[in-house]
Amino acid sequence: SGAATQFSRVADSGNGFVSSFCPQCGTTLWCTSEAKPGWIGIPVGTIADPAYPAPVRSVWEQSRHKWVELPRDIAHFVK
């Protein structure tokens, strides 16, 4: 509970990107981007509930760890 801390940067696309995180532990809670106004991205590892819905897309796969396995039936984006 409490207010999140935000870190703003310019993404490779040139759009603004904001990560909101817990000021106590540093866990990223959600992200927003000028490229998708009104959308909120929630990192999969943020939710500890095993019943939480699976991801529907994977972005920035060009820098993912090779050992990360993703469902084949979701949308995949290199960047």
Side-chain angles (χ1 to χ4, degrees):
S1 66
T5 299
Q6 295 185 326
F7 176 74
S8 299
R9 64 181 176 87
V10 176
D12 287 351
S13 64
N15 293 305
F17 188 86
V18 179
S19 296
S20 298
F21 59 93
C22 172
Q24 298 299 314
C25 70
T27 299
T28 300
L29 302 170
W30 71 87
C31 305
T32 58
S33 172
E34 290 176 351
K36 297 283 186 180
W39 284 39
I40 297 174
I42 301 175
V44 174
T46 302
I47 310 299
D49 179 359
Y52 192 77
V56 296
R57 72 184 54 79
S58 173
V59 296
W60 214 256
E61 289 190 351
Q62 74 179 19
S63 60
R64 75 172 167 85
H65 295 288
K66 297 298 179 197
W67 49 263
V68 173
E69 293 187 31
L70 299 163
R72 291 192 173 132
D73 61 343
I74 65 173
H76 295 266
F77 301 93
V78 174
K79 283 190 173 184

